[in-house]
Amino acid sequence: MENKEIRMWEVMPAVALRGLTIFPRMIIHFDLSRQKSIIAVEQAMMQEQKLFVVTQRDSSVEAPGKEELYRVGTVAAIKQVSKLPGGLVRVLVEGISRGKLMELESLSLNLPEDEFLQAHVQTIEEAPVREMLEEIPIEEEAMLRQIKDMVAQYSLLHPKIGKGLSSQTDRSNQLPQLLDQLAVNMPLSYDKKQMILESLDLEDRYEEMVRILAKEIEVGKLKNKLSEVVKGKVEENQKEFLLREQLKFIRKELGEDGEASEIEQFEAAVEKLEATEEVKEKIKKEIQRFKKLSSHSSEYAVERGVIETLLDLPWDKIGEDNLDLEAAEEQLNRDHYGLEQVKERILEFLAVRALLGKGSSSILCLVGPPGTGKTSIARSVAEALNKKYVRICLGGVRDEAEIRGHRRTYVGAMPGRIAQGLRHAGVKNPLMLLDEIDKVSNDYKGDTFSALLEVLDSEQNSHFRDHYVEIPIDLSQVFFICTANTTNTIPRPLLDRMEVIEVTSYTSNEKFHIAKKHLVEKQLKANGMKEGQLIFSDGAIKDIIRFYTREAGVRTLERTIGSVCRKAAREILKEQDQTISIGSGNLGKYLGKKKYTQDKINKKNEVGIVRGLAWTSVGGDTLQIEVNMMPGKGKIELTGQLGDVMKESAHTAVSYVRSISKEYEVEPKIFTENDFHIHIPQGAVPKDGPSAGITMATALLSAVIGHKVRADVAMTGEVTLRGRVLPIGGLKEKILAAKVAGVKTVLVPKENRKDVEEITKEIKSGLEIIFVEHMKEVLEHALVKG
């Protein structure tokens, strides 16, 4: 029963397909990555746009020859070619007819890499489609009906795939096309599809498809049978579950409740609990309520969680504190360099505890720049006092329930962080660190700061109520330590309940000692260095501090030391048993060029240029204020990204200078016939505050009278219209910045004398600090005489 017509050989470009078989009348796109295949498509496009596509026997072969290809493929017409990223080409083709591969040759255009496959193909055309139903032979009609019946059976067993196949089969009355369509749309492997393609005789093709369908139907029946078995087992498990539930009910009726053991455990735990009778009674009521609940009730798991939480809380369980002041002081000094105020306050707490014989609620708030050791000192304090340590990070917390807990009526309710912290600590007198308290935020769910008022009030926190626990919790013996970078965002009522200790920026000498005693050793250990493999000289550590970091704390310093350790580790791996010494000379090899330069004083005295002192979040800095006078109409120009307070301070300085101009024989018209431009360099950095008042006033007067200002003098202080010098803040950081810049004399408001006295001698050594209370004293020390 032949329905094919064999033509003469045709020569056309060929593409070898991997894992894909294309049939006549099939429209499909595929991606090409091999250069041979891409060039073959290009050649076909330049000719008749006909391409011979044939499947590889083994998909892993990169350069297949005739032996690696199947003998029958498809002659296809190229409909579209598009380029994709990564050198891929996507080709859309339509199968025309089957074709026999007779010869295969590899042609080259110009270069060897321009090779492509060219095939000699014997095309085999299908018999034409019959228009009239009567023209179909009886034998072919029988085959068609048999195939449709089998497809219907297949569809019942494979409903997801069969639905589409059934609709296609019902519409088709042409057996050759139907067999090809089934081969295309059924989820068959490419080798089975190839068998259909290679069946050139219609009867052979029919028999092959009947074999495939029969096998798929058998597989489907077996699959359904297995599903029934699995379903039966599941039903059996459900039956077992129901029986077990009935057994529980029978035991309950007989007084042998299955949950009795759990309830007994709860009741035994209540008796052993270190708590007041009032607390025990309330827990017993919860247990009685739990007894009445069905295990299928939604409240069952909630009530069990509540009881477990209540039993885990340390109601009257107290941890034993270390009262040895000397040992505690030794531990604090060993773990942290500096932070004298914090250490002193901790030792005071210990002394009071030793005298009273009981603890009291202490609430400290450590405020300072990032990286100054606020969080780590809290852990050291816990170790020194032998207290359980609990850290609660409040950064970004905006829900009041995070502090007070959720009410039990909510799904997924849980205790607040304070109650959970006590539960984890296991004692009622732990050290609880409330980290980043300044970064708490509020929203429609409540005011988190207000919830903290009760926690941090020593008069109220002995009866703190958590919404989930619903029994007053005693927080009076908890040692609270809070940390913050600033007090500006903390509400005044909350700040009033805490003892604020300012943790100031580290000096260069403090950073050096911290790095030498702690950071170097920590990073050597973290990077797998053995003793003696890597040595940091004192000069190298000082240069890292001076030229590669600029911060108030030591976090960047630690990371920089770690960077040196990692680079040294590579060298040690290359050359075993070597010792690397890091000094000032070879530091650039590991860290590159210097990131920062020290801001030094000017080499010579100049008119209208005065060095001021500023406080920043990463320490102190020096600001060089410049004033120029030029012909104009008395306009005051302020540049350098100055804030409103600083602008007002500049106008105050101008008014003061104008008021004293007669004393310096300055004609009033100078201020109306000239413009004044006040500029503070580093224009990208915002600046604000009143502390540059006396600096701007000195620079203005210097520009007006033409007298030079001493280059080795720096100053800070707010100025009034009458010339009084008012106190400012951040003096320690400012004086340290002046010392680093090489300043010899620093002019400071007289009212800041107490702040200067608190500054260590290390910072003040080599500096002449002069206290001033009026601009006349400032000008006397700043202007060059003569």
Side-chain angles (χ1 to χ4, degrees), residues 176-392:
Q177 288 85 343
L178 177 59
L179 295 175
D180 285 352
Q181 281 179 1
L182 289 174
V184 169
N185 294 317
M186 285 178 65
L188 303 176
S189 59
Y190 74 90
D191 52 345
K192 287 185 179 179
K193 291 185 178 184
Q194 184 66 34
M195 290 169 69
I196 301 291
L197 186 70
E198 290 184 351
S199 300
L200 304 180
D201 185 76
L202 185 59
E203 282 186 9
D204 294 341
R205 199 181 309 166
Y206 163 75
E207 289 173 4
E208 191 63 47
M209 180 53 72
V210 166
R211 261 195 304 273
I212 291 171
L213 278 171
K215 185 179 178 183
E216 291 294 323
I217 288 168
E218 286 300 317
V219 170
K221 286 179 179 177
L222 185 58
K223 179 184 169 187
N224 286 353
K225 187 177 178 181
L226 290 171
S227 297
E228 288 295 324
V229 173
V230 172
K231 185 179 178 183
K233 287 183 178 179
V234 170
E235 287 176 352
E236 193 176 324
N237 289 336
Q238 288 177 339
K239 181 181 176 183
E240 185 181 344
F241 171 75
L242 290 172
L243 289 172
R244 288 189 181 278
E245 288 298 310
Q246 288 173 358
L247 185 60
K248 283 182 183 179
F249 178 78
I250 293 167
R251 284 180 177 173
K252 186 175 181 180
E253 291 296 314
L254 294 172
E256 300 173 0
D257 193 359
E259 275 97 27
S261 58
E262 190 175 34
I263 293 170
E264 286 171 4
Q265 288 175 6
F266 287 156
E267 289 174 341
V270 171
E271 295 303 323
K272 295 178 184 177
L273 191 64
E274 295 181 33
T276 62
E277 286 302 319
E278 183 186 356
V279 171
K280 287 183 179 181
E281 282 301 318
K282 289 186 178 179
I283 297 175
K284 285 176 182 177
K285 284 183 181 178
E286 295 290 344
I287 294 173
Q288 290 300 320
R289 186 169 179 271
F290 179 66
K291 279 182 181 180
K292 297 174 184 177
L293 293 173
S294 166
S295 59
H296 301 294
S297 170
S298 60
E299 293 183 35
Y300 183 84
V302 176
E303 190 63 35
R304 180 198 282 168
V306 170
I307 294 170
E308 288 174 350
T309 301
L310 294 176
L311 291 173
D312 287 343
L313 282 171
W315 298 101
D316 286 339
K317 188 178 179 182
I318 299 176
E320 189 176 344
D321 290 351
N322 172 29
L323 300 178
D324 187 344
L325 263 72
E326 290 184 4
E329 186 174 7
E330 184 182 341
Q331 166 119 19
L332 291 171
N333 288 331
R334 183 172 65 248
D335 291 348
H336 287 79
Y337 185 88
L339 302 175
E340 299 302 330
Q341 278 186 297
V342 184
K343 293 176 184 176
E344 187 178 343
R345 181 64 186 86
I346 301 306
L347 295 173
E348 288 172 3
F349 166 82
L350 254 181
V352 172
R353 175 67 191 268
L355 290 173
L356 287 175
K358 63 177 183 178
S360 59
S361 181
S362 296
I363 302 159
L364 306 182
C365 184
L366 309 181
V367 180
T372 49
K374 300 183 295 297
T375 304
S376 60
I377 190 71
R379 191 182 296 107
S380 292
V381 168
E383 291 176 13
L385 302 181
N386 193 31
K387 280 183 172 290
K388 294 286 185 180
Y389 173 72
V390 179
R391 177 178 173 269
I392 298 173

Side-chain angles (χ1 to χ4, degrees), residues 15 40 65 131 145 157 181 220 307 367 401 419 447 477 505 507 548 555 578 613 643 653 698 708 733 758 782:
V15 167
E131 296 294 335
R145 291 185 183 183
L157 296 168
Q181 281 179 1
I307 294 170
V367 180
D447 186 353
Q477 295 192 44
S505 309
T507 65
Y548 293 94
R555 283 204 184 112
Q578 68 163 327
L613 300 174
T698 305
K708 293 181 179 180
E733 288 82 359
E758 291 179 1

